[in-house]
Amino acid sequence: MPSGRASNVSEPAAEVDVAVVGAGAAGIGAARRLIGAGLSVAVLEARGRIGGRAYTVPLRGHPVDLGAHWLHNGPINPLVRLGRARGERLRQAPGERHLIIHGRAATRAERDSSSRAFALSDAAIARAMKGPDRPAASVLPPMGPFGRRVVATEGLVSGRPFDEVSLHDVPDMAYGDNFFIHGGLGAYVSRLGADLPIRLRTPVRAVDWSGQGVRLDTEAGVLRARAVILTVPMLVLQREDVRFTPDLPVPVREAIHGFTQGVYEHVVLHWPDAPFRGPDRLAGLLGEREEPPGLLTRVDDTPFHLFELDLPTASRFDNRDPDAPGRYARAVLAAHFGHRALSRLSVCRSTAWRHDPWSRASWAVVPPGLVSIRDRLKEPVDGRIWFAGEALSRAQWGTVGGAWEEGDRAAKEIASRFA
Ligand SMILES: Cc1cc2nc3c(=O)[nH]c(=O)nc-3n(C[C@H](O)[C@H](O)[C@H](O)COP(=O)(O)OP(=O)(O)OC[C@H]3O[C@@H](n4cnc5c(N)ncnc54)[C@H](O)[C@@H]3O)c2cc1C
């Protein structure tokens, strides 16, 4: 079943202890914790579905994630822990990768050279972290023939070119174990939101905290609460689509506006006779003029592949027709494997989260020198306004696990004050 079905959500009241804005992972995590603590809650969601940037759709009979797909950082990811407790079907992501150079499998020496380049990068980052903050790319040493590939990959997974990312914000490599979940990550998040008091198609337009508690203006009327948890993505808050009366304190506004847009988009391919063996392998395709920024092959052992676009690549398709990313993916793969290998390849979807009015980015990125902004937003405003969501997580930013953790943190703080 696609995530986003909300037939099982119940209607919230007009006055509650805590209002939660946004029914993505952070909002769902927060609401579950608050309800568990005995507080009354209303979750207000702008879209007509729940899950936010975790969203699974059925394509040709298979659940396919259009947003988040990986459960990263297994040892510290709360959704891995919760999934195990619920008996969800989790699988560890394979460590091996395909490496194809000029359309042929890389030699052992080439694979070793590639692994060395990634290891050099990790070691240099770990060392430099102890010094002052600066652009992450600036601390990388010469890494040999695969150096350019390493820098591009770091930029892809960061959401921006690596010289625009804070060195001090690069995640700790120690928690590398990743997992997949049967039926898709969006569907899992959606299951966790079942039975919560969520009001769909209810964008919050204004938060008034001039009197007692908070008053939220929505397109469907007014909601009053003692406190609010805002899980609205940072790039949406930057556009000031949600007005605050009085204005938020300057340090909070500065923190919100400090983030930059992280871009990571999927082109979903159905490619039954793709030349890759084994499910769920990342593939590096090198040696031609255009190289896919990222490629996840045979997703869940199906014919689906996720061709990933980084910011520089995705930007080339801004203001172009929606089929342009798919044509690009096809042209790149044809350059590596020849047109005949693509005769049964079809492009199913390409995402544009960076243009979606309720996300405006795949995640929020911290530029060099601004690493404190994540923590600054954890301080509640006047004991009434909490922020949560992936952007606040230091260890797991840009992830569903980090979003959940932050929703849970804000809810715990409120529960300890209000219960
Ligand atoms: C293509 C892509 C791939 C990704 N891959 C991974 C991955 O593999 N693993 C991983 O862990 N993470 C991944 N991520 C990141 C992950 O999806 C996010 O970090 C996470 O889902 C964010 O959760 P959140 O609750 O903070 O925000 P969201 O999920 O965005 O939830 C916020 C909610 O607020 C709602 N909202 C916005 N404005 C308003 C308003 N004014 N009023 C009411 N509601 C509002 C939105 O509609 C949304 O539902 C990926 C993201 C993308 C886009």
Side-chain angles (χ1 to χ4, degrees), residues 154-210:
E154 298 283 14
L156 170 72
V157 299
S158 298
R160 292 196 80 82
F162 210 38
D163 55 357
E164 297 177 20
V165 175
S166 156
L167 167 67
H168 283 185
D169 206 45
V170 175
D172 189 336
M173 309 295 159
Y175 305 111
D177 286 1
N178 296 311
F179 290 83
F180 298 119
I181 186 154
H182 181 77
L185 181 48
Y188 172 40
V189 172
S190 228
R191 281 196 291 286
L192 295 172
D195 300 324
L196 293 178
I198 299 174
R199 191 172 294 166
L200 298 176
R201 294 181 198 83
T202 309
V204 171
R205 297 297 184 199
V207 177
D208 185 330
W209 55 292
S210 57

Side-chain angles (χ1 to χ4, degrees), residues 20-29 43-55 65-73 77 79 178-180 185 189 199 201-206 217-218 230-234 236-237 241-242 262-267 296 306 308-309 351-354 356-364 388-392 396-404 406-407:
V20 177
V21 184
I28 291 171
V43 185
L44 306 175
E45 168 54 49
R47 292 185 169 105
R49 62 169 181 83
I50 65 174
R53 285 169 278 178
Y55 182 34
D65 283 315
L66 295 184
H69 178 63
W70 301 69
L71 282 159
H72 292 296
N73 312 307
N77 188 325
L79 292 177
N178 296 311
F179 290 83
F180 298 119
L185 181 48
V189 172
R199 191 172 294 166
R201 294 181 198 83
T202 309
V204 171
R205 297 297 184 199
D217 286 3
T218 80
L230 285 149
T231 73
V232 173
M234 289 300 140
V236 176
L237 288 176
D241 291 346
V242 183
V263 171
Y264 182 98
E265 303 284 5
H266 299 309
V267 180
L296 178 61
L306 296 177
E308 315 291 19
L309 305 181
T351 65
W353 293 94
R354 66 198 184 283
D356 182 317
W358 307 120
S359 58
R360 298 281 177 199
S362 298
W363 51 78
E390 59 82 16
L392 277 74
Q396 303 181 69
W397 56 258
T399 71
V400 176
W404 184 276
E406 285 305 314

Side-chain angles (χ1 to χ4, degrees), residues 16-96:
V16 288
D17 290 323
V18 187
V20 177
V21 184
I28 291 171
R32 285 171 60 114
R33 171 71 64 183
L34 293 164
I35 290 168
L39 294 169
S40 60
V41 175
V43 185
L44 306 175
E45 168 54 49
R47 292 185 169 105
R49 62 169 181 83
I50 65 174
R53 285 169 278 178
Y55 182 34
T56 310
V57 297
L59 291 177
R60 303 186 188 207
H62 293 287
V64 175
D65 283 315
L66 295 184
H69 178 63
W70 301 69
L71 282 159
H72 292 296
N73 312 307
I76 57 168
N77 188 325
L79 292 177
V80 170
R81 205 164 45 242
L82 182 59
R84 287 193 176 121
R86 288 167 52 94
E88 299 277 354
R89 288 164 63 188
L90 297 167
R91 287 175 294 121
Q92 186 144 18
E96 357 25 304

Side-chain angles (χ1 to χ4, degrees), residues 60 269-277 298 301-305 330 341-348:
R60 303 186 188 207
L269 307 174
H270 189 264
W271 193 7
D273 54 355
F276 304 110
R277 299 284 154 265
R298 306 200 72 85
D301 208 11
T302 68
F304 288 99
H305 295 60
R330 186 181 267 287
L342 273 56
S343 57
R344 295 182 61 204
L345 180 151
S346 41
V347 178
C348 301

Side-chain angles (χ1 to χ4, degrees), residues 119-342:
L120 277 171
S121 163
D122 291 352
I125 290 167
R127 261 195 321 272
M129 283 248 186
K130 297 180 190 119
D133 196 12
R134 48 195 153 137
S138 69
V139 307
L140 298 180
M143 293 173 288
F146 291 91
R148 197 170 55 85
R149 171 81 189 154
V150 171
V151 177
T153 305
E154 298 283 14
L156 170 72
V157 299
S158 298
R160 292 196 80 82
F162 210 38
D163 55 357
E164 297 177 20
V165 175
S166 156
L167 167 67
H168 283 185
D169 206 45
V170 175
D172 189 336
M173 309 295 159
Y175 305 111
D177 286 1
N178 296 311
F179 290 83
F180 298 119
I181 186 154
H182 181 77
L185 181 48
Y188 172 40
V189 172
S190 228
R191 281 196 291 286
L192 295 172
D195 300 324
L196 293 178
I198 299 174
R199 191 172 294 166
L200 298 176
R201 294 181 198 83
T202 309
V204 171
R205 297 297 184 199
V207 177
D208 185 330
W209 55 292
S210 57
Q212 292 259 301
V214 290
R215 174 197 144 116
L216 306 187
D217 286 3
T218 80
E219 287 175 8
V222 169
L223 175 77
R224 288 175 197 281
R226 294 167 71 191
V228 60
I229 301 178
L230 285 149
T231 73
V232 173
M234 289 300 140
L235 275 286
V236 176
L237 288 176
Q238 284 180 4
R239 297 173 75 97
E240 304 191 354
D241 291 346
V242 183
R243 289 185 318 281
F244 290 86
T245 311
D247 269 348
L248 289 169
V250 171
V252 175
R253 275 189 280 152
E254 282 178 353
I256 290 170
H257 287 273
F259 290 95
T260 51
Q261 182 192 45
V263 171
Y264 182 98
E265 303 284 5
H266 299 309
V267 180
V268 181
L269 307 174
H270 189 264
W271 193 7
D273 54 355
F276 304 110
R277 299 284 154 265
D280 303 311
R281 268 39 168 198
L282 290 166
L285 308 187
L286 308 182
E288 306 301 329
R289 200 166 62 83
E290 294 273 1
E291 295 167 352
L295 183 64
L296 178 61
T297 62
R298 306 200 72 85
V299 178
D300 298 326
D301 208 11
T302 68
F304 288 99
H305 295 60
L306 296 177
F307 187 107
E308 315 291 19
L309 305 181
D310 56 10
L311 180 142
T313 317
S315 315
R316 286 156 60 178
F317 308 117
D318 288 343
N319 305 318
R320 294 201 30 210
D321 67 285
D323 296 333
R327 285 198 302 275
Y328 168 78
R330 186 181 267 287
V332 172
L333 293 172
H336 287 265
F337 296 110
H339 285 279
R340 280 184 56 196
L342 273 56

